[in-house]
Amino acid sequence: MALKALDYDTLNENVKKCQYAVRGELYLRASELQKEGKKIIFTNVGNPHALGQKPLTFPRQVVALCQAPFLLDDPNVGMLFPADAIARAKHYLSLTSGGLGAYSDSRGLPGVRKEVAEFIQRRDGYPSDPELIFLTDGASKGVMQILNCVIRGDGDGILVPVPQYPLYSATISLLGGTLVPYYLDESQNWGLDVNNLRQSVAQARSQGITVRAMVIINPGNPTGQCLSEANIREILKFCYNEKLVLLGDEVYQQNIYQDERPFISSKKVLMEMGSPFSKGVQLVSFHTVSKGYWGECGQRGGYFEMTNLPPRVVEEIYKVASIALSPNVSAQILMGLMVSPPKPGDISYDQFARESKGILESLRRRARIMTDGFNSCKNVVCNFTEGAMYSFPQIRLPPGAIQAAKQAGKVPDVFYCLKLLEATGISTVPGSGFGQKEGVFHLRTTILPAEEEMPEIMDSFKKFNDEFMTQYDNNVGYSRM
Amino acid sequence: MALKALDYDTLNENVKKCQYAVRGELYLRASELQKEGKKIIFTNVGNPHALGQKPLTFPRQVVALCQAPFLLDDPNVGMLFPADAIARAKHYLSLTSGGLGAYSDSRGLPGVRKEVAEFIQRRDGYPSDPELIFLTDGASKGVMQILNCVIRGDGDGILVPVPQYPLYSATISLLGGTLVPYYLDESQNWGLDVNNLRQSVAQARSQGITVRAMVIINPGNPTGQCLSEANIREILKFCYNEKLVLLGDEVYQQNIYQDERPFISSKKVLMEMGSPFSKGVQLVSFHTVSKGYWGECGQRGGYFEMTNLPPRVVEEIYKVASIALSPNVSAQILMGLMVSPPKPGDISYDQFARESKGILESLRRRARIMTDGFNSCKNVVCNFTEGAMYSFPQIRLPPGAIQAAKQAGKVPDVFYCLKLLEATGISTVPGSGFGQKEGVFHLRTTILPAEEEMPEIMDSFKKFNDEFMTQYDNNVGYSRM
């Protein structure tokens, strides 16, 4: 009997090929265990509110008023909402063409895109054009739109850091392109060596691949490193020489936990490099409301800014965005609030500053607790989380464990993470989901569990890990870094 | 000099190929004119709130409280919100894992999917399984996900009605598939003749196309017809025999303006057909919060229900959905509210019933005013809008007008619609954006302008049209129906 279009064997092969480990086997098993009543600590995905982080009050007040605009005519509105939230809600509603229920322009509300451009200009010290900023339903959607424009077939390669956030590998598979890996150096705190890049490109070209674009994630996901200005400059020169579009994933730009390398945007570095680079490198930078001290993942808001793209290409990207009509308007407004938060003197300023500072300082402490915790464990070594939301320890699995994994039909780090999950309820993602060097194993966990629960979680991890290592350790032939 | 990846000439050709007329040349020109200060009536897209429709109060109260959950602890909350809205907000928050700021499961909140399944069961009288319902950021995103699974390359064809909503043509182009048109019969009130379908499939096959899926839009967009139960049964039989997945675009199911053919879902008809059809036809049905009397376009909420898809395929669709993490949670809750609105006896019931009935009855009157208005115009004939939100009059352009369009380098209906826009500010979409028979011309307009403005708009249209026709009419050789 002939197969139907939605039978497994006749599905689009690109759909079948793509893998997304952040919500893969471990997550599915964790969800099952949760259904069975086990307490699960979901650290598989950077989802702060799911682990108890409270939303920032002021932006939520504003968006709530935009959802219920009739409250603005209620004489009692001032009993529940401060005057500056009321004023901001009126401001944002005036930027829409019918409130949150009306489609906006497919690029997002012009007024919010203007606020984003002003934010970028303040941040970088260089002009930004609202016409080159598109709002999106989260940064992931923006990345997918741009890669869709770049990738024409499997002859097109995209340089992606390894370890990488699997959005990139999954999207490239889905679009039928080829991922060209470049390895970050764990022994150099996950540094990026341009010589590695050259090798990766040369190797891809020798296989007939046209390398078209390069992805950087700064701060790094899952690796947590912050790129230096000098490093970004090298990357931009490389992109200039090789005619690559640079996709700058900068969604963790607020999440910095050290003072030596504050966040610096690729756009700013590019502008500072001047001619011929500043007009010669095609750059698309991504940002989101999901990360930072906002953590508004479920709202799905983001933007991308395009630099040095020809107007005709911008029009094409606009056309494709228009097929899905518009990003959700509520998160567009949240993005507006993120880029223009309360100012000193505003009624809500103190509360806003207190809340955001509190979250960021706690994240910094948690990054430290987690790194130290991992480094106290047997056969575990972990670079410090300089930025972003993740810890990515190397787990040096003894041969006995690798053997046992093989017998269970599992990749060794998947085997380890499953055992960890069953024993402790901690739901992580195996390093193989992000890519890692042959024979080296990691896991990714977020630094997001509540600070007060952190010591207990790390104790529970250590207890599991050290027992696991003792069980399998025969003191010879560790996998090496 | 070599081209870069985001230069026009090196872009993905599928991106360049796709067309989306709803936000095409006419919309762009209208936006320009608006910037120059001209009053524009945007009837190019079904966007009710942009034309003054007020949101339903109760659902907005609930979502506002979910955005600002701290209000639930405020002793004054009852001064601004009724008790049933407060209770519902608590209910929906309890279904999330961290409020609106947390990613949900990539399929959407399990609790909301359960409410959707209960709604479908009440509507159709047959069971519905929440595990086979995925929530989406609007119905368009769902359609794109499913077509992405079906289309493997340009050898795969999708049967699409002509005239059609250009989401389908654009998505098929973007995914590199082939659109296989089947023509609706304007003289039979845009009826669907299964013999036409057979011809379309035979012709496509003779060109080496594997026809894999069929799209129906019921009620029709842009054509406004409602399919009869008998007609849907014929279609399902056809899909069974030809092994086609049926994509049932049922986003206008609340928008019915006649009593002869109430909405009946493809799922219900399929279940009533019994064996072998009810277990043999693969069906995916789409719904949204953007249409009906809700019109919450900017919120981006939708769902699809899968029938007779193998579990492994459902898993693959889940995997791909997970790449973008989750649909926005706020609109998921709005979807929950749409499928479980206030019941008689609830505090907010009367208001909710009054508001929704008011919108629907006014739409019914507007459908009539618009059809009659068009039919009173020179060289214009228009089928009655039985459902959905559009009027799709045929404009019988005189040879002189076709000649003038040719001289201006425009498709004749684009020429007419541009003149209409410049003269009256009415922004429509030319029929060529939806597909139409050779030499026959239409435009699409929504029936959404405020009822009290409708007579003036139709007068203004008639004045423009009749002058246009007089100017170009030489009384010979009309284009014919």
Side-chain angles (χ1 to χ4, degrees), chain B residues 10-206:
Chain B
T10 65
L11 281 193
N12 178 354
E13 289 296 326
N14 290 338
V15 163
K16 288 191 257 184
K17 262 191 315 205
C18 74
Q19 294 301 331
Y20 191 69
V22 170
R23 294 215 161 168
E25 179 178 0
L26 261 289
Y27 169 74
L28 297 174
R29 180 70 188 130
S31 302
E32 270 174 30
L33 288 172
Q34 190 183 38
K35 265 194 190 160
E36 292 166 15
K38 189 173 174 77
K39 192 197 162 194
I40 303 295
I41 303 151
F42 281 103
T43 68
N44 58 302
V45 54
N47 195 7
H49 292 213
L51 292 172
Q53 183 177 310
K54 292 272 165 295
L56 299 167
T57 305
F58 178 77
R60 288 296 195 95
Q61 288 169 328
V62 176
V63 179
L65 284 167
C66 292
Q67 278 288 1
F70 38 80
L71 294 180
L72 295 169
D73 302 324
D74 192 303
N76 293 320
V77 65
M79 299 187 68
L80 288 179
F81 295 92
D84 55 350
I86 294 170
R88 284 294 281 276
K90 287 180 180 167
H91 161 71
Y92 283 115
L93 286 171
S94 80
L95 300 182
T96 70
S97 58
L100 301 192
Y103 294 126
S104 70
D105 187 279
S106 304
R107 297 165 295 187
L109 296 165
V112 171
R113 288 155 57 216
K114 186 165 161 278
E115 292 180 359
V116 171
E118 288 161 0
F119 155 75
I120 294 172
Q121 187 154 344
R122 282 196 308 278
R123 184 194 66 188
D124 293 345
Y126 293 92
S128 169
D129 180 355
E131 296 296 306
L132 301 177
I133 292 164
F134 284 19
L135 305 182
T136 54
D137 285 307
S140 300
K141 286 286 168 64
V143 168
M144 294 167 100
Q145 279 170 262
I146 298 299
L147 286 176
N148 194 17
C149 289
V150 170
I151 295 174
R152 298 164 300 182
D154 60 6
D156 281 344
I158 313 293
L159 276 167
V160 172
V162 172
Q164 55 107 26
Y165 177 49
L167 162 67
Y168 295 98
S169 49
T171 303
I172 293 167
S173 289
L174 196 61
L175 296 169
T178 296
L179 187 148
V180 179
Y182 65 90
Y183 287 86
L184 302 176
D185 187 351
E186 186 166 12
S187 68
Q188 298 297 316
N189 206 20
W190 298 113
L192 191 168
D193 181 344
V194 176
N195 290 321
N196 275 349
L197 275 180
R198 267 185 257 281
Q199 277 174 24
S200 294
V201 170
Q203 201 187 337
R205 285 186 181 150
S206 75

Side-chain angles (χ1 to χ4, degrees), chain A residues 230-284:
Chain A
N231 211 177
I232 297 173
R233 194 176 296 120
E234 282 184 301
I235 293 163
L236 286 162
K237 266 189 197 161
F238 180 78
C239 289
Y240 178 81
N241 290 326
E242 305 293 340
K243 307 210 182 299
L244 305 178
V245 182
L246 184 64
L247 306 192
D249 179 336
E250 301 179 337
V251 298
Y252 297 102
Q253 60 188 269
Q254 289 180 339
N255 298 93
I256 306 290
Y257 313 122
Q258 42 73 41
D259 303 317
E260 295 74 35
R261 275 189 301 290
F263 171 75
I264 180 164
S265 76
S266 302
K267 168 96 180 294
K268 180 181 170 77
V269 178
L270 181 61
M271 291 301 116
E272 285 182 350
M273 286 167 75
S275 181
F277 307 101
S278 59
K279 290 199 185 293
V281 178
Q282 294 185 330
L283 168 68
V284 186

Side-chain angles (χ1 to χ4, degrees), chain A residues 307-437:
Chain A
T307 305
N308 296 325
L309 266 52
R312 248 183 117 181
V313 168
V314 175
E315 274 170 35
E316 291 294 308
I317 297 171
Y318 182 14
K319 182 186 72 181
V320 172
S322 72
I323 301 173
L325 291 156
S326 83
N328 87 79
V329 177
S330 166
Q332 294 184 41
I333 289 171
L334 211 55
M335 177 57 85
L337 288 156
M338 186 176 97
V339 296
S340 56
K343 291 183 190 54
D346 291 354
I347 300 166
S348 297
Y349 176 76
D350 286 346
Q351 183 186 21
F352 181 84
R354 193 171 60 245
E355 290 173 351
S356 46
K357 202 174 152 213
I359 292 167
L360 212 48
E361 287 179 349
S362 168
L363 283 172
R364 187 185 268 243
R365 289 191 298 269
R366 281 180 268 174
R368 177 50 67 196
I369 297 170
M370 209 154 218
T371 309
D372 292 348
F374 283 130
N375 282 319
S376 78
C377 293
K378 193 169 175 177
N379 297 354
V380 177
V381 285
C382 187
N383 283 321
F384 176 61
T385 300
E386 299 178 343
M389 289 183 170
Y390 311 97
S391 191
F392 195 64
Q394 185 182 143
I395 314 292
R396 298 179 169 183
L397 294 173
I402 294 173
Q403 192 66 28
K406 214 169 274 174
Q407 279 164 10
K410 300 283 176 198
V411 176
D413 55 6
V414 173
F415 178 77
Y416 176 92
C417 290
L418 280 170
K419 292 269 181 207
L420 172 68
L421 172 67
E422 307 274 349
T424 64
I426 303 173
S427 163
T428 60
V429 187
S432 49
F434 305 92
Q436 52 199 353
K437 285 192 173 162

Side-chain angles (χ1 to χ4, degrees), chain A residues 1-8 10-13 15-20 23 27-28 35 45-47 49-50 55 57 60-61 63-64 66-71 74 76-77 79-81 97-98 100-106 131 137 140-141 144 146 148-152 165 167 170-171 174 212 243 245 279-280 282 284 290-291 295-300 309-310 312-313 316 318-320 322-330, chain B residues 1-8 10-13 15-20 23 27-28 35 45-47 49-50 55 57 60-61 63-64 66-71 74 76-77 79-81 97-98 100-106 131 137 140-141 144 146 148-152 165 167 170-171 174 212 243 245 279-280 282 284 290-291 295-300 309-310 312-313 316 318-320 322-330:
Chain A
M1 189 172 144
L3 289 162
K4 284 169 268 189
L6 282 171
D7 287 343
Y8 184 79
T10 64
L11 280 194
N12 178 354
E13 288 296 325
V15 163
K16 288 191 256 186
K17 262 193 313 205
C18 73
Q19 294 301 330
Y20 190 71
R23 295 213 161 170
Y27 169 75
L28 296 174
K35 265 195 190 161
V45 55
N47 194 6
H49 292 214
T57 307
R60 288 297 194 94
Q61 287 168 330
V63 179
C66 292
Q67 277 287 2
F70 38 82
L71 294 180
D74 192 304
N76 292 320
V77 66
M79 299 189 69
L80 288 180
F81 295 92
S97 57
L100 301 192
Y103 294 125
S104 71
D105 187 279
S106 304
E131 296 296 306
D137 285 307
S140 300
K141 288 285 168 67
M144 295 167 99
I146 298 298
N148 192 18
C149 289
V150 171
I151 295 173
R152 298 164 300 183
Y165 176 50
L167 162 67
T171 304
L174 195 60
R212 307 248 300 154
K243 307 210 182 299
V245 182
K279 290 199 185 293
Q282 294 185 330
V284 186
S290 301
K291 309 299 171 186
E296 292 278 14
C297 301
Q299 310 263 9
R300 313 312 295 122
L309 266 52
R312 248 183 117 181
V313 168
E316 291 294 308
Y318 182 14
K319 182 186 72 181
V320 172
S322 72
I323 301 173
L325 291 156
S326 83
N328 87 79
V329 177
S330 166
Chain B
M1 189 174 142
L3 289 163
K4 286 169 270 191
L6 283 171
D7 288 343
Y8 184 79
T10 65
L11 281 193
N12 178 354
E13 289 296 326
V15 163
K16 288 191 257 184
K17 262 191 315 205
C18 74
Q19 294 301 331
Y20 191 69
R23 294 215 161 168
Y27 169 74
L28 297 174
K35 265 194 190 160
V45 54
N47 195 7
H49 292 213
T57 305
R60 288 296 195 95
Q61 288 169 328
V63 179
C66 292
Q67 278 288 1
F70 38 80
L71 294 180
D74 192 303
N76 293 320
V77 65
M79 299 187 68
L80 288 179
F81 295 92
S97 58
L100 301 192
Y103 294 126
S104 70
D105 187 279
S106 304
E131 296 296 306
D137 285 307
S140 300
K141 286 286 168 64
M144 294 167 100
I146 298 299
N148 194 17
C149 289
V150 170
I151 295 174
R152 298 164 300 182
Y165 177 49
L167 162 67
T171 303
L174 196 61
R212 307 248 298 153
K243 307 210 181 299
V245 182
K279 290 197 186 294
Q282 293 185 331
V284 186
S290 302
K291 309 298 170 187
E296 292 278 13
C297 300
Q299 310 261 8
R300 313 313 293 125
L309 266 51
R312 251 184 114 180
V313 168
E316 291 294 310
Y318 183 15
K319 183 185 72 183
V320 172
S322 72
I323 301 174
L325 290 156
S326 82
N328 88 78
V329 177
S330 166

Side-chain angles (χ1 to χ4, degrees), chain B residues 202-461:
Chain B
Q203 201 187 337
R205 285 186 181 150
S206 75
Q207 292 163 1
I209 304 293
T210 307
V211 182
R212 307 248 298 153
M214 172 172 174
V215 173
I216 55 173
I217 311 175
N218 178 37
N221 175 6
T223 40
Q225 83 286 12
C226 295
L227 293 178
S228 69
E229 188 173 343
N231 210 178
I232 298 172
R233 193 176 297 121
E234 281 183 303
I235 293 163
L236 287 163
K237 265 189 197 161
F238 180 78
C239 289
Y240 178 82
N241 290 327
E242 305 294 339
K243 307 210 181 299
L244 305 178
V245 182
L246 184 64
L247 307 192
D249 179 337
E250 301 179 336
V251 298
Y252 296 102
Q253 60 190 267
Q254 288 180 340
N255 298 94
I256 305 290
Y257 313 123
Q258 41 72 42
D259 303 315
E260 295 74 33
R261 273 187 303 289
F263 172 75
I264 180 164
S265 76
S266 302
K267 169 98 180 293
K268 181 181 170 79
V269 177
L270 180 61
M271 292 301 116
E272 285 182 349
M273 286 166 76
S275 182
F277 306 101
S278 59
K279 290 197 186 294
V281 177
Q282 293 185 331
L283 168 68
V284 186
S285 307
F286 302 88
H287 200 4
T288 185
V289 300
S290 302
K291 309 298 170 187
Y293 41 87
W294 291 65
E296 292 278 13
C297 300
Q299 310 261 8
R300 313 313 293 125
Y303 76 76
F304 58 84
E305 184 193 28
M306 299 167 278
T307 305
N308 295 326
L309 266 51
R312 251 184 114 180
V313 168
V314 175
E315 275 170 34
E316 291 294 310
I317 296 171
Y318 183 15
K319 183 185 72 183
V320 172
S322 72
I323 301 174
L325 290 156
S326 82
N328 88 78
V329 177
S330 166
Q332 293 184 40
I333 290 172
L334 211 54
M335 178 56 85
L337 288 156
M338 187 175 98
V339 296
S340 55
K343 291 183 191 55
D346 292 353
I347 300 165
S348 297
Y349 176 76
D350 285 345
Q351 183 186 22
F352 182 85
R354 193 172 58 245
E355 289 174 351
S356 45
K357 200 173 155 216
I359 293 167
L360 213 48
E361 286 179 349
S362 168
L363 282 172
R364 187 185 268 243
R365 290 190 297 269
R366 282 180 268 173
R368 177 50 65 197
I369 295 170
M370 209 154 218
T371 309
D372 291 348
F374 283 130
N375 282 320
S376 79
C377 293
K378 193 170 176 180
N379 297 354
V380 177
V381 285
C382 186
N383 282 322
F384 176 60
T385 299
E386 298 177 344
M389 289 183 171
Y390 310 98
S391 190
F392 196 64
Q394 185 182 146
I395 314 292
R396 300 181 168 182
L397 294 173
I402 294 173
Q403 190 66 25
K406 214 170 274 176
Q407 278 164 8
K410 299 283 175 198
V411 176
D413 54 6
V414 174
F415 178 77
Y416 176 92
C417 290
L418 279 170
K419 293 268 180 207
L420 171 68
L421 172 66
E422 308 274 347
T424 64
I426 303 173
S427 165
T428 59
V429 187
S432 48
F434 305 92
Q436 52 199 353
K437 287 193 173 162
E438 185 73 26
V440 183
F441 303 105
H442 298 82
L443 63 80
R444 187 189 83 166
T445 175
T446 68
I447 59 168
L448 297 174
E451 192 173 348
E452 60 275 21
E453 292 173 20
M454 202 60 109
E456 193 188 321
I457 291 171
M458 294 315 292
D459 284 350
S460 151
F461 178 87

